[in-house]
Amino acid sequence: MLNSPENDGSRADGVCADASVVAAEDGLIGYIRQHADLAERSGYAIPADWRYPSQYHLLLALGRRHTPAPAPRA
């Protein structure tokens, strides 16, 4: 777990664990965008009552980035 009390958001080598979370999120967002593009090109009929063409479009429209926070002390 990145934000456990043991590492408290940092590592011994000086690299911030939060930076790796941001990089992972950027990769995931890129992956979701690729699938949204594929869904648009697929040619499938989308039901008229759907607000978004696919679950990927929904995630891109309504998804939020994770805000790292320290774990509560037990």
Side-chain angles (χ1 to χ4, degrees):
M1 187 146 94
L2 289 177
N3 289 321
S4 65
E6 294 81 31
N7 66 17
D8 210 15
S10 62
R11 296 184 348 202
D13 59 4
V15 175
C16 179
D18 295 342
S20 65
V21 171
V22 171
E25 287 177 345
D26 289 342
L28 179 59
I29 291 168
Y31 180 80
I32 293 169
R33 283 190 180 129
Q34 286 177 334
H35 282 277
D37 290 342
L38 289 172
E40 287 177 9
R41 292 188 231 154
S42 69
Y44 288 112
I46 298 164
D49 61 340
W50 284 19
R51 187 169 187 174
Y52 301 97
S54 72
Q55 67 270 31
Y56 308 109
H57 291 89
L58 174 102
L59 283 170
L60 291 170
L62 301 178
R64 294 179 292 147
R65 286 188 174 262
H66 170 74
T67 304
R73 304 264 182 214

